[in-house]
Amino acid sequence: MNTSNRETTTVTHFILLGFSSSPEMQLLYFGLFSTTYTLTLTGNALIACAVLLDRRLHIPMYILLGNFSLLEMCYVTTTIPNMLANLLSTSKSISFLSCFAQFYFFFSFGYDEGFFLCAMAFDRYLAICHPLHYPHIMTKQLYTSLVILGWLFGFTLYLAPVVLISRLPYCGPNIINHFMCDPVPLMMLSCSEDTITQFLYSTLNVIFMIGTLIFILCSYALVIRAVLKMPSTASKHKAFSTCASHLAVVTLFYSPIIMMYVSPGSGHPEKMQKIITLFYSVITPLCNPLIYSLRNKEMKAALRKIFRTEQGIQKI
């Protein structure tokens, strides 16, 4: 950071107001969100364990799904524990470094999830539209590369926005009317309005979100067209069931994020910002394991196998 930024950046910590309400409501929120967090971790961990332990699930579709579930666990852990701590805290402060670390990891994991949704859509496209060529295209080397690239994608791409926004001058106030370090209120707290940083941030979000969404929708449009041509009703049902699960997760993931971040200057009311952020950072990760497990026979069979094993161990 240059000398001028050192002189103007006097803020050393931020205050996250979170859900301002009575102490009784704070305790209610704590119980609700801690339960949600536990269920989210448990559900996604079960899917990841099922993929790891059941050899029948050692295929690209489930390997990508297992990694997606691990990402969900990391994703919620970047925000919910700090939010729970703030609900019981009187200061509700977070250091400058911790704030931007949360900002970086939360959105990096979010970008990684978008990449994995693209990879999962590509996998379904190959499997359904080109079944004869699928084993030769989706090799172990390719899906391993997709997994590695998926984990690195967001951390590489999102480094620039975090660095740019962190280098903005913050002279005070330092109060963020949110439960997490979100880039939109952070940019609003800056002493100077940096239109270039806002433009670059918005452009990156638009390119990533719209680009990945178009790729996913085009992939599934081709998949649906191929499914409609299948002569077997059973094959159609299985393919549609798999696609419906993926599309449900895609809808839950992209709808609130596009509403919130494609246009940071759109002026969402602060209360609405919290609700939208709460939806995609807490509710969506909770729903995803339910969607995948309830609509997938192979996954349900693998989960039943895990529960039977646990019951057998407990009896011993």
Side-chain angles (χ1 to χ4, degrees), residues 224-297:
I224 291 171
R225 189 180 69 172
V227 169
L228 292 174
K229 294 180 181 179
M230 291 180 177
S232 170
T233 304
S235 298
K236 283 184 179 180
H237 177 75
K238 183 177 180 180
F240 271 127
S241 179
T242 303
C243 292
S245 299
H246 284 277
L247 287 172
V249 171
V250 168
T251 302
L252 284 173
F253 180 80
Y254 278 97
S255 298
I257 292 178
I258 288 177
M259 187 187 306
M260 185 75 175
Y261 291 108
V262 168
S263 180
S266 57
H268 296 295
E270 291 175 337
K271 187 175 181 180
M272 183 59 66
Q273 288 181 13
K274 293 181 189 179
I275 293 173
I276 296 172
T277 307
L278 190 67
F279 185 85
Y280 70 75
S281 64
V282 178
I283 306 302
T284 299
L286 174 66
C287 295
N288 288 347
L290 293 173
I291 293 170
Y292 280 119
S293 60
L294 293 177
R295 297 189 60 88
N296 190 291
K297 291 182 179 179

Side-chain angles (χ1 to χ4, degrees), residues 10-286:
T10 57
V11 170
T12 58
H13 67 280
F14 295 99
I15 305 297
L16 294 173
L17 291 183
F19 301 94
S20 302
S21 57
S22 64
E24 292 78 11
M25 287 300 297
Q26 298 272 6
L27 288 175
L28 178 62
Y29 288 143
F30 180 86
L32 180 63
F33 293 139
S34 58
T35 302
T36 303
Y37 181 54
T38 303
L39 291 175
T40 301
L41 291 183
T42 303
N44 283 287
L46 283 173
I47 288 181
C49 289
V51 173
L52 179 65
L53 299 175
D54 197 323
R55 290 186 175 274
R56 293 173 299 177
L57 302 184
H58 291 182
I59 59 176
M61 181 179 81
Y62 292 109
I63 290 171
L64 292 170
L65 175 58
N67 278 273
F68 185 80
S69 295
L70 289 174
L71 266 176
E72 290 278 52
M73 295 169 68
C74 297
Y75 182 68
V76 296
T77 302
T78 58
T79 55
I80 297 183
N82 185 74
M83 179 174 66
L84 293 175
N86 277 353
L87 285 171
L88 301 179
S89 170
T90 54
S91 65
K92 302 184 184 299
S93 67
I94 183 170
S95 69
F96 188 92
L97 182 61
S98 297
C99 184
F100 278 92
Q102 183 191 68
F103 169 22
Y104 174 60
F105 283 106
F106 179 76
F107 288 94
S108 294
F109 284 129
Y111 268 49
D112 285 344
E113 288 191 0
F115 180 90
F116 269 99
L117 288 174
C118 285
M120 292 160 76
F122 177 64
D123 175 74
R124 290 301 83 205
Y125 162 74
L126 288 178
I128 296 174
C129 298
H130 303 283
L132 298 178
H133 300 288
Y134 179 78
H136 305 291
I137 299 175
M138 189 57 74
T139 60
K140 184 177 181 179
Q141 182 180 6
L142 178 57
Y143 69 71
T144 301
S145 299
L146 287 174
V147 169
I148 295 172
L149 183 60
W151 281 94
L152 296 177
F153 179 78
F155 289 98
T156 304
L157 192 64
Y158 219 81
L159 187 60
V162 173
V163 170
L164 287 172
I165 296 175
S166 68
R167 289 172 64 88
L168 293 174
Y170 292 95
C171 324
N174 64 342
I175 297 175
I176 302 175
N177 190 6
H178 214 305
F179 60 83
M180 62 169 284
C181 290
D182 189 90
V184 177
L186 278 172
M187 285 189 284
M188 291 174 64
L189 284 179
S190 174
C191 301
S192 62
E193 185 176 354
D194 192 331
T195 55
I196 296 176
T197 297
Q198 291 181 7
F199 174 77
L200 291 174
Y201 171 77
S202 299
T203 302
L204 178 63
N205 283 341
V206 169
I207 292 173
F208 172 75
M209 294 177 193
I210 303 301
T212 53
L213 182 58
I214 289 174
F215 179 88
I216 292 169
L217 293 179
C218 288
S219 298
Y220 283 117
L222 294 172
V223 166
I224 291 171
R225 189 180 69 172
V227 169
L228 292 174
K229 294 180 181 179
M230 291 180 177
S232 170
T233 304
S235 298
K236 283 184 179 180
H237 177 75
K238 183 177 180 180
F240 271 127
S241 179
T242 303
C243 292
S245 299
H246 284 277
L247 287 172
V249 171
V250 168
T251 302
L252 284 173
F253 180 80
Y254 278 97
S255 298
I257 292 178
I258 288 177
M259 187 187 306
M260 185 75 175
Y261 291 108
V262 168
S263 180
S266 57
H268 296 295
E270 291 175 337
K271 187 175 181 180
M272 183 59 66
Q273 288 181 13
K274 293 181 189 179
I275 293 173
I276 296 172
T277 307
L278 190 67
F279 185 85
Y280 70 75
S281 64
V282 178
I283 306 302
T284 299
L286 174 66

